[in-house]
Amino acid sequence: MTDTARPTSPSPSTSTESHFPATAVDEDRSRLRPIGTLPDDTGILSQMVRVWRYRDLLLNLTKREVKSRHKNSALGVAWNLLNPLLQMFIYTVVFTYFMPGRTPMFPLKLLSGMAIFGLFTTSVTAGASSIVGNSAVVTKIWFPREILPVAAVASNLVTFASRVIILVVALIIYWHAPDWKDMWLALFAVFVTLVLSVGFGVLLSALNVFFRDVEHFLELALLALFWFTPVVWNYSFLASYVIDRFGPQWERLIMLNPLIPVVTTFERVLYNPTGFPPEQQQQFDLLIRPTEWYLQNLLVSLTVGVVALVVGLRVFTRLEGSFAEQL
Amino acid sequence: MSEMPSAASSEHRSPGPAAAPLGRGAGPDRRAEETGNGAVEDSAVAVSVIELSKIFRLDASGAKTAKERLLHPSRGSNSKFTALEQVSFDVVQGETFGVLGHNGSGKSTLLKLMAGIMRPTAGRVLVRGRLAALLELGAGFHPDLTGRENIYLNGSILGLDRNYVRAAFNDIVDFAELHQFIDVQVKHYSSGMRARLGFSVATHLEPDVLLIDEVLAVGDETFRNKCMERVHKFRSMGRTMIIVSHSADTVRQLCSRAAVLDQGRLIHLGPADDAIVAYRKALNARQQRLADKPPGAARPAKSPVVIESAHLIDAIEAAGTSTPPRHRATSNKDLVVKPGTPVTAVVTISVHDATVPVRLRITLRTPEGLLLINRATSGLLGGGSSLDLPEGRHEASFHFGPLPLRDGQYLIDITAETPDGGHQFARRAGLAGFSVEAGGRGLGLLAVPVTAELVTPKPTPRRRADDRREAGERAPTSVP
């Protein structure tokens, strides 16, 4: 039977031949492209180009994420505002009445820290479950799959924007001025956070297909990260402890938590402790640093983010071919 | 749809997969050499499948937690399953190509590899232009989104821009007949609605290559007919289609060429009719393998009757003018007849217990299971409702009158049962068979003469009045 495997005389119908003259053949053949993602197709640049080529799809998927997130809830998009407001309310009650601190305008500090920290947590959580959550599409159609975690991160920019709106409203209510001069630092911090989110989101989304433990682990890891990052507490607590115990040169080591540079920058610029009277400024002495200090820290975070992105994309491409089998 | 000038619109579909995946050392050049000495050289190749293999690790799907992976890191290497082995073929642009295979032959794996959903273990698939796949007619809808949103989402997955999808939108909804449900979430759709929308989206967004799995397996009769129309139209637009099916009829009806898969290997490639013959042969061989597995073990010891064998002979052999039938038949499914030939089935049975009343039942059917003749021996073979045979071996001949059947294969099942048909003692399905070869490519089951005549009705007075009026209206313009 194997002798019939090769065609003896394949005769495509004459009508197709007349449609495509022989002169067109060479040009046409060169337009054959491999389908799917090849295992050797790991160039980070080519992956980014591919995502860019599919930007229409990225936009559609992002819209879809935003829409479907609140599709069956009565309050719908209002949750984007309600969620941070309620969080802020809880923490403010706890840290003003139960465990009173000396922090002035505590809700402002909380809102600025939570805005940027929340961008990372919600993005990474959504990114990690993006492939598994979209199995209906992943097992049916091919498209560059890395678009899914990227879209998950992008859709959380909407949540972030609503948190920033609340922060702005709170700044107006308190009539407290942010540090306009260093506002670009805050924007850079947002960019760094996005790189970190996409990096970890891509990496975890691929791993989650094979080990569903990733989602559970991530929940705990993010909780730990939250308490190891100065969102509700003051950066000076940790920094002064480290400096007293090990010496001032070890302060840099704190920055290995990539979220600390991002959150401190956001607090420095938007919460802006320089605007307080000198006696209140004292507790923020380690946060009132020159611009270069913040920029250096952010660059450390950015490096971590880029490494995560490169490793994430590598792992993603390696595992991508087996997604459909595993889902 | 039709008002979209395809040449102009192709400029708009900018980010198509045609340009998207960048392969290194891509093989077009190597491809050109390869196709030069065999496959298809005349027309542009739309899809090129090159030495494609897929091996599954069987236990991998079970181990989903890190614990299992860490505890048994090396376990995966042992049990492997080769779903596809070294399959190569080219599909020419504009042709409708069939992939035939029984369940488990690897055709679904091949489809998923061609669609790029799974990555091959070895080999590659090259595609020219945009490719859309319709797997299980699902098309990849997101359950939380409405039909409308899903149409746009699918469009962007195919790399089409929004305006293009908007232009085709009404046609898609019309075809799927979902006007009042288009803003309902897809998860509330019935499976039929989902299938209709999937088919409609895939065919209206005009991919250059369309992969369809079991095209007409879903939907009611009306929708199936509509799909057929659509498929024909799609073909007439010069687009490439690959239909994966286990139904020889579907492939015969739609495809010009076909590949046949058996146990993950390509066993035939060529014109559809030849492929169907090869497919039937493979099916028979498979049935034979399955039937041969438990030869004596399956035979219940206390059955009063054992069906030994059966073979078929045509009328000439039955009359004894040809070579002796038993000598000639190498297999009991080799008989080939022309339409309208009487056929005789010779069934050998052994009676072990003459006290139990037994009758035989013979059925003639298509391999797909369509029942053509179903006859019990009540009233035959001596008249009574049961056979009163002494113990020992007997040979019963069933003579079928001229069978007006068209091209295809037909199978015989023999059953031994109680005279009221309530209990089966023994049953051998597909024990014998024959093929009809009319030498033409026809559809349908029956080869019955059909004549036709044409009557053109005389023009009615009303119509003539219309003509006159039209002429009258035109007249003034011709007068200078």
Side-chain angles (χ1 to χ4, degrees):
Chain A
M1 232 166 219
T2 40
D3 54 334
T4 52
R6 274 278 134 194
T8 43
S9 63
S11 54
S13 60
T14 43
S15 61
T16 48
E17 286 179 41
S18 61
H19 276 302
F20 304 99
T23 47
V25 168
D26 287 355
E27 179 256 338
D28 280 335
R29 228 173 243 295
S30 65
R31 285 184 54 197
L32 281 170
R33 291 281 181 275
I35 190 149
T37 314
L38 305 169
D40 56 350
D41 194 12
T42 49
I44 186 166
L45 209 67
S46 76
Q47 267 173 312
M48 285 177 171
V49 167
R50 200 165 50 182
V51 170
W52 175 246
R53 285 217 171 105
Y54 273 81
R55 59 191 175 277
D56 270 3
L57 177 60
L58 180 60
L59 194 70
N60 262 339
L61 284 171
T62 307
K63 273 191 212 154
R64 190 198 74 184
E65 285 286 319
V66 173
K67 268 189 207 163
S68 67
R69 192 176 302 149
H70 302 295
K71 198 120 207 180
N72 293 320
S73 58
L75 293 172
V77 192
W79 276 114
N80 278 335
L81 296 174
L82 269 178
N83 194 358
L85 275 178
L86 287 174
Q87 277 187 34
M88 182 202 72
F89 178 74
I90 294 165
Y91 284 117
T92 309
V93 165
V94 170
F95 288 93
T96 324
Y97 298 103
F98 302 168
M99 301 168 56
R102 293 176 301 122
T103 317
M105 298 184 194
F106 181 72
L108 275 190
K109 168 179 162 48
L110 201 59
L111 281 175
S112 54
M114 260 167 38
I116 193 78
F117 189 83
L119 174 62
F120 179 76
T121 47
T122 52
S123 303
V124 171
T125 310
S129 54
S130 59
I131 302 287
V132 174
N134 285 297
S135 57
V137 186
V138 171
T139 53
K140 291 279 161 65
I141 304 187
W142 183 83
F143 56 94
R145 271 76 161 89
E146 49 271 53
I147 282 189
L148 284 172
V150 174
V153 172
S155 70
N156 276 291
L157 277 173
V158 175
T159 323
F160 176 67
S162 57
R163 282 173 187 236
V164 168
I165 289 171
I166 291 176
L167 175 61
V168 169
V169 170
L171 284 169
I172 293 170
I173 290 173
Y174 279 93
W175 205 244
H176 180 72
D179 191 343
W180 295 109
K181 180 172 62 66
D182 283 341
M183 192 54 84
W184 64 274
L185 264 185
L187 291 177
F188 185 55
V190 173
F191 171 74
V192 171
T193 312
L194 285 178
V195 174
L196 282 166
S197 304
V198 173
F200 284 103
V202 167
L203 175 70
L204 296 176
S205 68
L207 291 178
N208 195 30
V209 174
F210 294 86
F211 314 111
R212 301 288 158 92
D213 316 52
V214 166
E215 267 171 76
H216 307 293
F217 172 76
L218 183 64
E219 213 179 304
L220 273 178
L222 288 176
L223 184 67
L225 196 65
F226 178 74
W227 291 107
F228 278 101
T229 306
V231 179
V232 292
W233 46 271
N234 200 328
Y235 171 73
S236 303
F237 294 155
L238 178 64
S240 56
Y241 172 80
V242 170
I243 291 169
D244 291 349
R245 187 85 196 265
F246 304 104
Q249 70 273 29
W250 293 98
E251 194 192 347
R252 286 278 174 199
L253 211 63
I254 301 172
M255 301 303 162
L256 282 182
N257 171 357
L259 266 299
I260 289 184
V262 172
V263 168
T264 50
T265 305
F266 232 63
E267 287 181 351
R268 166 71 185 78
V269 175
L270 289 158
Y271 176 53
N272 191 15
T274 55
F276 297 125
E279 68 272 16
Q280 284 184 335
Q281 271 189 34
Q282 212 188 340
Q283 57 181 310
F284 297 108
D285 54 347
L286 287 169
L287 210 54
I288 300 170
R289 292 284 188 62
T291 308
E292 302 83 69
W293 185 78
Y294 282 102
L295 192 59
Q296 283 165 8
N297 292 344
L298 284 177
L299 288 174
V300 172
S301 280
L302 185 63
T303 313
V304 174
V306 168
V307 168
L309 188 62
V310 171
V311 171
L313 283 173
R314 274 236 118 117
V315 170
F316 194 92
T317 333
R318 284 283 295 273
L319 298 177
E320 194 192 335
S322 314
F323 283 175
E325 295 161 40
Q326 291 288 329
L327 287 170
Chain B
M1 180 65 66
S2 49
E3 67 267 17
M4 289 293 298
S6 63
S9 62
S10 66
E11 299 296 311
H12 285 289
R13 319 167 190 165
S14 39
L22 308 167
R24 264 177 230 153
D29 306 345
R30 196 167 60 80
R31 218 30 244 145
E33 286 167 32
E34 262 183 34
T35 45
N37 54 28
V40 187
E41 22 190 333
D42 331 275
S43 306
V45 173
V47 177
S48 189
V49 173
I50 306 160
E51 290 168 12
L52 209 60
S53 296
K54 180 72 192 176
I55 296 167
F56 287 109
R57 295 232 311 254
L58 285 181
D59 50 8
S61 58
K64 281 229 168 78
T65 62
K67 186 186 128 204
E68 287 169 52
R69 286 289 169 87
L70 292 173
L71 290 179
H72 314 284
S74 62
R75 222 188 221 177
S77 53
N78 294 330
S79 48
K80 286 178 177 173
F81 172 70
T82 306
L84 218 54
E85 205 177 333
Q86 296 277 317
V87 170
S88 306
F89 59 86
D90 282 348
V91 178
V92 176
Q93 211 186 31
E95 85 174 324
T96 307
F97 188 86
V99 176
L100 270 168
H102 53 76
N103 291 338
S105 60
K107 62 183 190 316
S108 293
T109 305
L110 176 63
L111 185 78
K112 283 189 173 149
L113 292 173
M114 282 198 284
I117 293 164
M118 281 199 283
R119 185 183 290 164
T121 311
R124 58 168 64 202
V125 179
L126 301 177
V127 178
R128 181 180 182 282
R130 290 184 298 113
L131 179 142
L134 206 49
L135 273 75
E136 299 130 30
L137 285 182
F141 290 129
H142 195 283
D144 283 341
L145 294 186
T146 66
R148 180 190 303 274
E149 290 162 344
N150 264 307
I151 291 174
Y152 282 102
L153 185 66
N154 261 270
S156 58
I157 288 178
L158 282 177
L160 298 166
D161 78 1
R162 211 178 160 73
N163 293 330
Y164 185 85
V165 181
R166 193 176 292 141
F169 186 83
N170 286 335
D171 288 336
I172 294 173
V173 180
D174 281 346
F175 186 88
E177 298 165 17
L178 286 171
H179 300 272
Q180 42 178 328
F181 304 111
I182 200 64
D183 287 314
V184 173
Q185 289 178 22
V186 163
K187 68 178 169 195
H188 298 308
Y189 281 22
S190 70
S191 57
M193 289 158 84
R194 218 170 298 177
R196 292 206 304 265
L197 188 61
F199 187 87
S200 188
V201 167
T203 52
H204 281 88
L205 293 181
E206 298 190 0
D208 299 304
V209 181
L210 179 61
L211 294 180
I212 312 183
D213 190 10
E214 299 302 347
V215 58
L216 304 169
V218 222
D220 58 15
E221 198 73 21
T222 1
F223 183 66
R224 253 190 303 202
N225 290 339
K226 250 173 99 174
C227 288
M228 280 300 225
E229 290 286 304
R230 187 72 211 160
V231 165
H232 281 295
K233 191 168 175 217
F234 196 82
R235 190 167 58 175
S236 68
M237 288 191 296
R239 294 182 188 272
T240 314
M241 225 175 343
I242 299 176
I243 294 174
V244 177
S245 181
H246 58 241
S247 157
D249 281 342
T250 305
V251 169
R252 192 210 296 268
Q253 220 164 331
L254 296 171
C255 304
S256 47
R257 285 200 312 141
V260 184
L261 288 178
D262 186 36
Q263 295 178 311
R265 272 189 290 268
L266 183 70
I267 57 166
H268 187 88
L269 181 67
D273 288 333
D274 299 350
I276 289 166
V277 173
Y279 174 53
R280 291 227 165 92
K281 258 189 205 160
L283 263 185
N284 284 339
R286 182 175 135 89
Q287 270 166 4
Q288 209 70 51
R289 276 199 306 274
L290 294 177
D292 286 351
K293 282 260 165 71
R299 228 176 262 180
K302 54 182 178 189
S303 170
V305 176
V306 170
I307 301 158
E308 301 267 348
S309 66
H311 64 270
L312 291 161
I313 50 180
D314 61 21
I316 309 156
E317 287 174 335
T321 51
S322 177
T323 46
R326 234 159 295 169
H327 175 71
R328 190 198 151 219
T330 49
S331 151
N332 52 11
K333 284 173 191 161
D334 271 0
L335 182 66
V336 177
V337 298
K338 294 253 175 285
T341 314
V343 171
T344 296
V346 182
V347 182
T348 310
I349 56 171
S350 298
V351 178
H352 295 307
D353 186 350
T355 59
V356 181
V358 168
R359 71 172 181 187
L360 294 178
R361 175 177 295 279
I362 184 163
T363 57
L364 179 67
R365 61 174 172 90
T366 64
E368 289 81 21
L370 183 64
L371 203 58
L372 300 171
I373 295 174
N374 179 16
R375 187 73 167 93
T377 52
S378 307
L380 300 174
L381 295 170
S385 66
S386 67
L387 305 173
D388 296 317
L389 296 172
E391 288 182 20
R393 183 170 294 211
H394 303 276
E395 209 170 69
S397 293
F398 295 86
H399 306 287
F400 297 109
L403 294 167
L405 296 171
R406 298 206 68 141
D407 276 36
Q409 210 203 3
Y410 301 93
L411 297 173
I412 296 265
D413 306 334
I414 309 287
T415 314
E417 58 187 19
T418 52
D420 60 356
H423 177 71
Q424 288 185 357
F425 297 118
R427 179 179 160 78
R428 301 284 296 271
L431 194 56
F434 65 95
S435 305
V436 177
E437 270 180 20
R441 193 180 154 191
L443 294 173
L445 215 56
L446 295 181
V448 171
V450 177
T451 58
E453 54 197 74
L454 185 68
V455 176
T456 310
K458 291 194 180 91
T460 59
R462 162 116 176 70
R463 170 131 174 88
R464 251 177 290 159
D466 284 351
D467 288 350
R468 253 203 310 277
R469 203 186 57 216
E470 268 180 51
E473 279 170 6
R474 243 174 311 173
T477 57
S478 59
V479 174

